[in-house]
Amino acid sequence: MDFIGIGAQKAATTWLHHVLSEHSSVTTNDTKELNFFTANYDRGYAWYESCFADAPPGNICGECSPTYFFSSDAPRRARAYNEDLKLICILRDPIGRVFSNHLHEIRKGHIAPSTSVEAGLAQNPAYVQQSQYKTNLENWLQHFDRDALLVLFSEEVAANPDESYDQICEHLGLSAREGSEAISERFHENITYRNKTLQKSLRFGGDMMRSLGMGDGVKKLKTLPGLKQMLSMNKQHLNIMVPPPTSETRERLANQFRPDMEFVAELTGRETLPWSTWSDLRPADAEQKG
């Protein structure tokens, strides 16, 4: 194994998996989240490497599992496996990530759609833990050199995916930049479906076609006017249906995540971060200094 995408959850890791899987010099597994260094570590190195047994000679191999980011064990285990692993981490506005995490739990059916963000925060400590960037990144940097870690921002991936893709290729030593149909695609939007049976059937058919090497055919089918309209009408966007955090919750979380954002800014050598939570704190800082 040559690289792993370590997270964070709800921060474009699915995009990362897809763009790398389309590069001719990269081999990924069909299953995006192998979770080897967390849930599947007991299966051993042989199982892990068997997931990439079809890699052509000369290809680099890797996978993306967001559970690695906030795991206390994954960095140590990954280092023991290969001290030369390249790491890719994509971060997101910490409060935006918390809200998306909440929508994800609703979409998965783990909690009721009527559950407020505040109730979700009270019930699930992982909401906050996965946005504690300082603690989680320091844990990884205890086991890997800073040069091994590429930090990107999901907001910049969305705004300029080609530039982010180039940074990834450079980090992994991929000399030839290749175009990818997935570069401009958005994956795993927080949506639910009016007719879940229909969506399940369509997804099963799409997965079957992909397993037969007909991935391009799936993409073309999605563009057909009738099917495209049906897919669109079946979607319900959770970020419209579910209320966002209250202003009081946002203020509390912003202050709680301040050390994490300052750490990220220092780590990446940036004076500004592409996060509204960061921007909201800066005027207050300037006022206090004045």
Side-chain angles (χ1 to χ4, degrees):
M1 204 59 46
D2 303 288
F3 71 88
I4 50 175
I6 63 174
Q9 187 189 59
K10 309 309 297 177
T13 53
T14 301
W15 173 87
L16 175 64
H17 168 78
H18 281 279
V19 297
L20 286 174
S21 68
E22 291 187 0
H23 197 291
S24 63
S25 298
V26 178
T27 297
T28 60
N29 189 264
D30 290 340
T31 301
K32 172 201 158 194
E33 299 178 19
L34 289 175
N35 295 318
F36 173 66
F37 297 112
T38 49
N40 291 313
Y41 193 64
D42 60 338
R43 302 183 75 164
Y45 294 162
W47 173 83
Y48 190 40
E49 292 174 356
S50 72
C51 296
F52 305 88
D54 296 333
N59 267 27
I60 64 171
C61 300
E63 49 104 3
C64 305
S65 296
T67 58
Y68 295 162
F69 182 63
F70 72 109
S71 166
S72 58
D73 294 322
R76 170 179 51 80
R77 291 171 173 176
R79 168 78 183 195
Y81 172 73
N82 180 6
E83 64 181 23
D84 295 320
L85 274 175
K86 294 286 188 179
L87 313 175
I88 303 172
C89 178
I90 307 179
L91 302 178
R92 179 177 183 172
D93 183 308
I95 296 180
R97 202 218 62 78
V98 165
F99 185 44
S100 188
N101 197 154
H102 180 64
L103 299 181
H104 175 80
E105 294 300 303
I106 291 174
R107 184 171 69 86
K108 288 292 188 180
H110 297 163
I111 55 177
S114 59
T115 307
S116 67
V117 180
E118 288 70 28
L121 282 162
Q123 296 166 5
N124 192 338
Y127 281 22
V128 169
Q129 291 171 359
Q130 293 186 79
S131 281
Q132 290 177 326
Y133 298 152
K134 183 176 188 294
T135 297
N136 294 321
L137 287 171
E138 283 182 335
N139 193 18
W140 279 95
L141 291 172
Q142 285 178 3
H143 299 275
F144 289 90
D145 293 338
R146 174 65 183 90
D147 290 346
L149 174 66
L150 173 65
V151 177
L152 299 174
F153 300 93
S154 67
E155 294 81 1
E156 293 178 346
V157 170
N160 193 342
D162 290 290
E163 182 177 334
S164 298
Y165 181 74
D166 287 342
Q167 289 177 269
I168 293 165
C169 289
E170 181 179 357
H171 183 63
L172 297 180
L174 300 172
S175 57
R177 186 198 187 288
E178 294 184 9
S180 165
E181 292 185 10
I183 286 180
S184 299
E185 289 191 38
R186 297 181 69 86
F187 298 93
H188 283 199
E189 297 174 283
N190 281 307
I191 56 177
T192 186
Y193 300 96
R194 292 180 173 86
N195 188 326
K196 292 181 172 59
T197 301
L198 171 63
Q199 182 62 25
K200 186 176 180 180
S201 298
L202 291 171
R203 183 171 295 161
F204 176 81
D207 290 343
M208 181 66 70
M209 289 180 67
R210 291 187 189 93
S211 69
L212 296 172
M214 301 170 64
D216 290 340
V218 174
K219 293 177 182 177
K220 290 178 180 178
L221 283 174
K222 287 182 177 181
T223 65
L224 294 177
L227 182 58
K228 184 176 181 180
Q229 183 180 19
M230 181 174 64
L231 290 170
S232 178
M233 291 178 63
N234 198 37
K235 289 181 180 180
Q236 292 179 301
H237 292 266
L238 287 174
N239 59 347
I240 297 174
M241 300 169 56
V242 180
T246 64
S247 57
E248 292 80 6
T249 299
R250 284 193 62 87
E251 183 177 0
R252 175 174 62 83
L253 290 175
N255 288 317
Q256 184 173 356
F257 294 139
R258 177 191 290 266
D260 301 287
M261 293 186 289
E262 291 176 343
F263 177 82
V264 171
E266 182 178 356
L267 181 70
T268 57
R270 298 175 61 143
E271 293 185 3
T272 62
L273 298 174
W275 298 337
S276 60
T277 303
W278 171 268
S279 301
D280 291 345
L281 287 175
R282 297 297 95 186
D285 290 347
E287 185 176 330
Q288 289 176 5
K289 291 179 181 178

